[in-house]
Every structure is written in C-alpha cells, then in structure tokens.
Amino acid sequence: GLTKITRHPLILPVLPWGCATSYLAGGRLSEFLLFGGLATYAVAGCAAQDLRVKKKEGSVGTVFSPDSVQNDEVLDDFFRSTSFVPFVAALDGRQSVKEIILEFPLLGFCFGTFIGWFIEKYLLQYLL
C-alpha cells in the first residue's frame, strides 16, 4: 500500500499541496503564511508522531497500543521497513520498487486526474 512509499501517506501530502497552493493562490505573503504554515504543520505532526514511537510514549493511530510487547515489535518492524521521506525505503532496498509499481492504482490515478482537470477547466470558471 501507500506505506511502502512513506509511513505518513495521509498527512505528508499536505506538504506539496501547501507549497503549491501558496504560490498558485496568488503568491502574496498571506498565502505563503497560511498554506506554508499548513505544510510546516503537516511535517511537524509527522515528525512528532515518529518521535512518540521512538520514545515509546504512547499509542500511535488506532492499530498500535502502547501496552503490548507484540505491538511494539510490529511497530518497530514497520519503522525499519518504511521511511519518513517518500520513496527513500524503496531506493535503499527496504521496499520493493516492483511491488510499489504493481500496487499503484493506475485506474484511480487516471480517473482522479481527469476529474481534477475537469473541475479546474469547466467548474472553477464559474466561481471567479
């Protein structure tokens, strides 16, 4: 799944979104502060979650609980086989690039890209 690319697949994409939106929204200081701040918050949140795991300070998400030794071993294995930065685990051999390519949802990606293009091209013009 997506955790082969990064261990934070839901919140880390806010980083490129925030950076791109801060520029595309007009490039004014207010946009950079708002969307750049959201991007910074996303990275800081991911880093804080990793730090909590490394210090064994508490549960992470809904899957791992802090009380179970078995869950600690599973979580440690998960951290060893994944990376914070996207694709680093695949580049250094902890994940298989072939498996990532085979698991890539090509149909969903193409459909989502088309829907995004359609919304941008035909629907957003009515908002301006």
Side-chain angles (χ1 to χ4, degrees), residues 27-57:
R28 295 184 302 264
L29 179 62
S30 59
E31 280 94 10
F32 281 113
L33 291 175
L34 175 64
F35 296 110
L38 288 172
T40 303
Y41 178 74
V43 172
C46 293
Q49 193 175 29
D50 282 2
L51 188 61
R52 283 180 48 207
V53 170
K54 288 177 185 173
K55 290 186 172 189
K56 302 204 185 300
E57 289 183 352

Side-chain angles (χ1 to χ4, degrees), residues 2-26:
L2 289 173
T3 54
K4 290 183 180 188
I5 296 172
T6 176
R7 77 174 65 104
H8 300 285
L10 295 177
I11 192 66
L12 203 55
V14 173
L15 174 63
W17 171 83
C19 294
T21 304
S22 68
Y23 174 73
L24 295 173

